[in-house]
Amino acid sequence: MAIQSLFIIVGILALLLIVGVPISYSIGISSLVAILQTVPLDVSVVTGAQRIFVGMSKFSLTAIPFFILAGNLMNQGGIAKRLVDFVMALLGKLPGALLVTNTGANALFGAISGSASAAAAAVGSMVQQGEEELGYDKALCAATNGASAPSGLLIPPSNALITYSLASGGTSVAALFLAGYIPGIIWMLCCIAVAILFAKKKGYTGIPGKFDWKNLGVCTLRALPALSLIVVVIGGIVGGIFTATEGSAIAVVYALILGICYRNITFKSFWNIVIESAKMSGMVVFLIGVSNILGWVMAFTQIPQAIAESLLGVTQDPIILLLIMNVILLIAGTFMDVTPAILIFTPLFLPVVQTFGMNPVQFGLILVYNLCIGNITPPVGNTLFVAIKIGRSSLANVMPYMFWYYVAILIGLLLVTYVPFISLGLPMAAGLI
């Protein structure tokens, strides 16, 4: 029954997505159809409604709307320019200075805003004029901007990691946040390495002259208030001063004060930001609620156990199993957004990796890293298309450069997958694991 239910869910879900039904409705409908094999219609509908309510009633879920609001406030708060100047002062001597700056600033802004597309739009716009003046290849600039933007989704505060915490049954958010730093930095360094190689090949030099410590000091002071958000929120959560939910509320207040001080947020713009954040939050929270139906159906029909038995029947080797999961997740990420994919694949694959003793924190980073690659992979690839639009290039021109970024990022994925210390080192040092 489990495998039959899985085929029903996957088949109906795929069909509904192809015809354009929203992902939340598709998940709910496919789950209810699958359970009708064993549960009467009236019982399944009532139970499904109850599961949606239960899924949306978790207090820890409140952190997501707050972090969305904080990120939108940061997007409008004049943060990007200060971060770009800071990274330029720090890394501007490297070959292809603006490409490297784009990559580093994307990691910082993506972490603060919580949105890869916002990072690609904001930071890409900031460096675009300088790149054009120096004669940089537009397609290379767009590829660099798009490839590096998702790195910020791994660096906390991260809504994707909060969603995984909920989907995995309460994995420590503090541990996940700390675990995200090194994988996020690895993604950023992979992109920097590729950018430098292309820059040397094309003869793009860094800023001439000696390193300007005075300029670095000035840019650091200007960027410090924005960078302090990460220190305050993550430090408070990891240190046990406040919970992730309380930290998200503090982030909103901090971001609002910062935007007002920078004179980039007015009452009218604040109201528009709140409305937009409410719309985004409503979609995410409803999706999580509906996915709770899927979790109930999977548990009732024992789909995770069947998946585990099937994969373990193919091979008992953890290396091969993880490779198979990575391939599946990479394919899924090309046509699914990060949040629904986390909600679908966590209950499927987490029981499998736990059979050979993998820590849920490490699997969470493997899962999110995989799915973030989907942000820059056609046919969906929202972040990549934003970068192409900002860079005024085309997909055909950008993809030859993106190939090498994919290679570097996938090397980073293999490191995160097969070297547990990369994900677990910081949480273990902090006593969270």
Side-chain angles (χ1 to χ4, degrees), residues 263-278:
R263 298 182 180 180
N264 288 312
I265 293 180
T266 62
F267 179 80
K268 182 178 180 180
S269 64
F270 174 70
W271 179 248
N272 292 333
I273 291 169
V274 170
I275 296 297
E276 183 62 28
S277 300

Side-chain angles (χ1 to χ4, degrees), residues 86-379:
F86 166 69
V87 178
M88 187 66 177
L90 186 65
L91 303 177
K93 295 296 180 182
L94 294 174
L98 288 174
L99 297 177
V100 175
T101 297
N102 194 165
T103 301
N106 270 343
L108 289 176
F109 190 75
I112 291 172
S113 69
S115 171
S117 296
V123 176
S125 299
M126 293 293 174
V127 299
Q128 182 180 13
Q129 183 177 353
E131 290 170 339
E132 290 178 352
E133 290 175 355
L134 293 175
Y136 281 26
D137 185 331
K138 287 185 177 181
L140 174 58
C141 294
T144 303
N145 186 29
S148 59
S151 61
L153 298 182
L154 293 161
I155 301 172
S158 168
N159 289 333
L161 293 177
I162 295 174
T163 303
Y164 171 76
S165 173
L166 294 167
S168 62
T171 303
S172 168
V173 173
L176 287 168
F177 276 8
L178 271 186
Y181 278 108
I182 297 179
I185 291 171
I186 286 175
W187 184 310
M188 178 189 72
L189 292 177
C190 288
C191 292
I192 287 178
V194 175
I196 290 175
L197 290 175
F198 276 124
K200 286 185 174 181
K201 182 179 179 180
K202 292 180 175 290
Y204 303 152
T205 60
I207 299 174
K210 295 182 178 180
F211 190 87
D212 192 341
W213 288 99
K214 181 179 179 181
N215 182 49
L216 176 61
V218 172
C219 292
T220 302
L221 287 175
R222 293 184 71 241
L224 195 58
L227 296 173
S228 297
L229 173 68
I230 300 176
V231 177
V232 170
V233 174
I234 306 306
I237 294 172
V238 173
I241 300 173
F242 42 74
T243 65
T245 302
E246 293 164 345
S248 64
I250 292 171
V252 170
V253 175
Y254 189 102
L256 179 59
I257 293 174
L258 205 59
I260 293 173
C261 290
Y262 287 162
R263 298 182 180 180
N264 288 312
I265 293 180
T266 62
F267 179 80
K268 182 178 180 180
S269 64
F270 174 70
W271 179 248
N272 292 333
I273 291 169
V274 170
I275 296 297
E276 183 62 28
S277 300
K279 292 178 180 178
M280 293 173 61
S281 300
M283 289 188 291
V284 173
V285 172
F286 180 66
L287 177 58
I288 292 173
V290 171
S291 296
N292 211 37
I293 302 176
L294 179 61
W296 165 63
V297 172
M298 286 184 176
F300 188 85
T301 57
Q302 297 186 325
I303 290 176
Q305 292 88 330
I307 293 291
E309 291 174 3
S310 299
L311 287 176
L312 293 172
V314 174
T315 177
Q316 296 278 336
D317 189 344
I319 294 176
I320 303 299
L321 284 172
L322 287 171
L323 187 60
I324 293 171
M325 290 181 195
N326 278 336
V327 171
I328 294 172
L329 291 170
L330 286 171
I331 294 171
T334 61
F335 61 87
M336 292 186 71
D337 197 15
V338 174
T339 300
I342 290 173
L343 295 168
I344 290 172
F345 287 102
T346 299
L348 286 177
F349 288 160
L350 183 56
V352 179
V353 299
Q354 287 180 321
T355 61
F356 52 82
M358 176 176 283
N359 191 291
V361 172
Q362 183 188 358
F363 177 70
L365 269 300
I366 294 172
L367 178 66
V368 174
Y369 195 111
N370 264 294
L371 297 175
C372 282
I373 296 174
N375 274 323
I376 53 172
T377 309

Side-chain angles (χ1 to χ4, degrees), residues 1-2 5-6 8-9 27-39 44 47-48 51 290-305:
M1 183 179 71
S5 298
L6 178 62
I8 291 174
I9 291 172
I27 291 174
I29 294 170
S30 59
S31 301
L32 287 176
V33 173
I35 201 64
L36 287 177
Q37 299 176 89
T38 54
V39 179
S44 61
T47 305
R51 300 312 302 175
V290 171
S291 296
N292 211 37
I293 302 176
L294 179 61
W296 165 63
V297 172
M298 286 184 176
F300 188 85
T301 57
Q302 297 186 325
I303 290 176
Q305 292 88 330

